[in-house]
Amino acid sequence: MRYISTRGQAPALSFEEVVLTGMASDGGLYVPEEIPTLCHDDLAAMAGLSYAEIAFRVMQPYVNGEIDDATFRRIVTEAYATFSHDAVVPLNQLDANHFLLELFHGPTLAFKDVALQLLGRLLDHFLAKRGERAVIMGATSGDTGSAAIEGCRHCDNLDIFILHPHNRVSEVQRRQMTSVLADNVFNVAIEGNFDDAQAMVKASFADQSFLNGTRLVAVNSINWARIMAQIVYYVASAVALGAPHRPVSFCVPSANFGNVFAGYMAYRMGLPVEQFVIATNANDILHRTLADNDFSKKALVATLAPSMDIVVSSNFERLLFEAYERDGDAVRALLERFQAEPAALADAPLSRLREKFASHSVDDATILEVIREAHHRTQEILDPHTATGYRAAERVRADAATPMITLATAHPAKFAEAVVKAGFPGVPLPPHMDDLLEREERYTVLPAELAAVQKFVAENRR
Ligand SMILES: *Cc1c(COP(=O)(O)O)cnc(C)c1O
């Protein structure tokens, strides 16, 4: 299997190349040329299997024989052994037919661990095979940075540099990054805001000469391997609730659209899914596009669900590619228009999307109300991202008889600010992290100057 670009003009790549490459050279995103299928019997045979075994079976066709089965099985098993729950992603029944899929039992308490525990190991495997080393650079305002660091801390062939805005991430989020003291992990606190940090990372990717030929790798959600890893929990949770014999629906708190796109891939592979509900916070481009065909940028709003604060949903392009029946030229034209001015989808692709997707946007006041209401009804304390999903699932689900699975994307202890604002005393960190606030930290404060940051990276990489 090859991987092709959503804009139709970049060369097709192998799995190995696509893992090591971020964006396609034509500005598009890579997707598999053909979507592998899971037939009725394949799904039925997954009942009762471990998460790691389901993960192996779902992902193996995408890997396309480029890693031998025994090695890939070992990589998958090691990646998910880092989760603190034996089910890896347990289902928690909230009421008669509404379930939470708890994706927050990984090392950093948010769903990004599911993909990044695997991606770090895949990168390390391919680099070792090539006898190469690589540098990862990323900017974070929270969840991605810590998940990437945890995913790479044991990788012999990778050095990781994560930039965060100095004094502008929460203490829990900072310490999840800075208390990892591995030799290949470098935290840089930038004297500036998140946009300054991100601009320096972008500039470093655009001109990599400061690394003298060493490969720079991105681990943001446009990396295909992250989508691939996320397909697995849709399949595993649906099978646990009776797939392929009965369908389920999913509700996904969404931002860059990587998570819900993975669900759509599971559906295209053959998983019976009745409906996908997209939940957004006040940064509602996905909801405006689906509900009103208003595909336009709006100023960023800082919300109580900060990991969903985005202006543009980068992975939505992958869904547009499918909605436009894989017409790369049409996707390129639409996205070029969107960059310049408010855009709209053509009628046929929009109605294709509306057949499977519904959406709902939840503002900050409602997030607090939902945290209280969900606790009153179910005794659960939801994190603010999951709260958007809980509300959206209740408001726009098509059918009360089909099980609704809302993805719980973070542990509430990670976003205690919202929980406290909702009137609760706070949520303790889970036992394996309860000494987080006493752990030794290591990070370097640098000015928001590209030359200073690049010098630091070049001098410290191993
Ligand atoms: C990243 C993140 C999201 C958004 O996921 P996308 O794949 O970008 O749509 C939602 N909730 C939490 C807690 C996150 O960290």
Side-chain angles (χ1 to χ4, degrees), residues 56 60 63 65-75 125:
F56 172 80
Q60 194 232 19
V63 174
E66 294 175 43
I67 306 176
D68 68 78
D69 284 356
T71 305
F72 187 51
R73 234 192 207 100
R74 178 181 53 73
I75 289 174
H125 169 82

Side-chain angles (χ1 to χ4, degrees), residues 85-415:
H85 196 294
D86 284 345
V88 182
V89 292
L91 276 167
N92 175 357
Q93 183 157 10
L94 290 179
D95 65 24
N97 223 358
H98 192 176
F99 297 79
L100 275 188
L101 179 58
E102 296 183 352
L103 300 175
F104 52 68
H105 295 279
T108 74
L109 309 181
F111 86 95
K112 292 186 172 70
D113 289 325
V114 179
L116 285 161
Q117 284 297 315
L118 184 75
L119 178 57
R121 287 170 171 83
L122 287 176
L123 286 168
D124 210 35
H125 169 82
F126 285 129
L127 290 166
K129 192 190 113 196
R130 293 169 163 235
E132 288 178 21
R133 301 187 55 79
V135 169
I136 290 178
M137 257 180 102
T140 192
S141 51
D143 284 353
T144 304
S146 57
I149 287 171
E150 284 291 346
C152 297
R153 64 188 294 179
H154 300 298
C155 296
D156 296 331
N157 304 294
L158 283 168
D159 296 312
I160 178 164
F161 295 80
I162 296 294
L163 280 50
H164 70 266
H166 191 33
N167 294 330
R168 295 192 201 199
V169 297
S170 75
E171 183 172 15
V172 168
Q173 288 188 323
R174 185 190 75 239
R175 285 176 170 275
Q176 282 188 319
M177 299 190 281
T178 58
S179 64
V180 177
L181 303 179
D183 286 346
N184 65 335
V185 171
F186 300 91
N187 280 287
V188 180
I190 295 292
E191 292 173 317
N193 58 29
F194 172 69
D195 292 333
D196 297 328
Q198 189 163 46
M200 289 189 282
V201 171
K202 274 197 178 155
S204 300
F205 274 89
D207 178 1
Q208 305 182 10
S209 54
F210 72 104
L211 284 176
N212 287 322
T214 301
R215 183 190 287 274
L216 195 57
V217 173
V219 294
N220 54 15
S221 71
I222 61 173
N223 191 304
W224 167 256
R226 284 186 57 175
I227 307 283
M228 176 185 81
Q230 293 171 170
I231 299 171
V232 175
Y233 49 70
Y234 289 90
V235 176
S237 60
V239 166
L241 291 184
H245 310 290
R246 59 172 187 163
V248 296
S249 291
F250 290 98
C251 176
V252 188
S254 294
N256 273 318
F257 208 74
N259 200 357
V260 57
F261 184 75
Y264 177 76
M265 288 299 295
Y267 160 68
R268 289 289 302 272
M269 289 176 79
L271 192 72
V273 180
E274 185 181 272
Q275 184 191 27
F276 290 101
V277 175
I278 299 166
T280 74
N281 62 20
N283 298 288
D284 59 354
I285 180 167
L286 291 166
H287 176 56
R288 283 183 288 115
T289 303
L290 270 167
D292 306 325
N293 199 11
D294 169 14
F295 186 40
S296 68
K297 296 182 208 170
K298 216 172 73 176
L300 187 77
V301 184
T303 75
L304 289 171
S307 296
M308 288 161 56
D309 289 349
I310 46 97
V311 174
V312 176
S313 283
S314 47
N315 274 293
F316 190 56
E317 175 162 350
R318 286 186 158 117
L319 185 66
L320 289 174
F321 187 60
E322 301 303 328
Y324 277 83
E325 299 186 311
R326 300 200 145 206
D327 178 347
D329 292 335
V331 171
R332 180 157 28 85
L334 175 65
L335 285 154
E336 280 169 8
R337 198 169 338 121
F338 166 76
Q339 283 308 335
E341 62 191 29
L345 277 55
D347 289 346
L350 183 63
S351 33
R352 272 180 216 119
L353 294 185
R354 285 176 173 165
E355 278 167 25
K356 243 342 153 201
F357 292 89
S359 63
H360 189 69
S361 152
V362 179
D363 65 18
D364 270 3
T366 311
I367 286 175
L368 297 178
E369 182 189 307
V370 173
I371 294 174
R372 286 188 288 265
E373 176 194 305
H375 181 260
H376 181 71
R377 282 167 51 184
T378 70
Q379 312 312 313
E380 291 293 328
I381 294 195
L382 304 180
D383 103 282
H385 306 83
T386 306
T388 68
Y390 182 87
R391 171 56 61 96
E394 304 232 312
R395 284 294 153 91
V396 299
R397 70 192 287 179
D399 171 9
T402 303
M404 172 59 78
I405 302 174
T406 292
L407 273 51
T409 53
H411 190 289
K414 200 166 179 179
F415 295 96

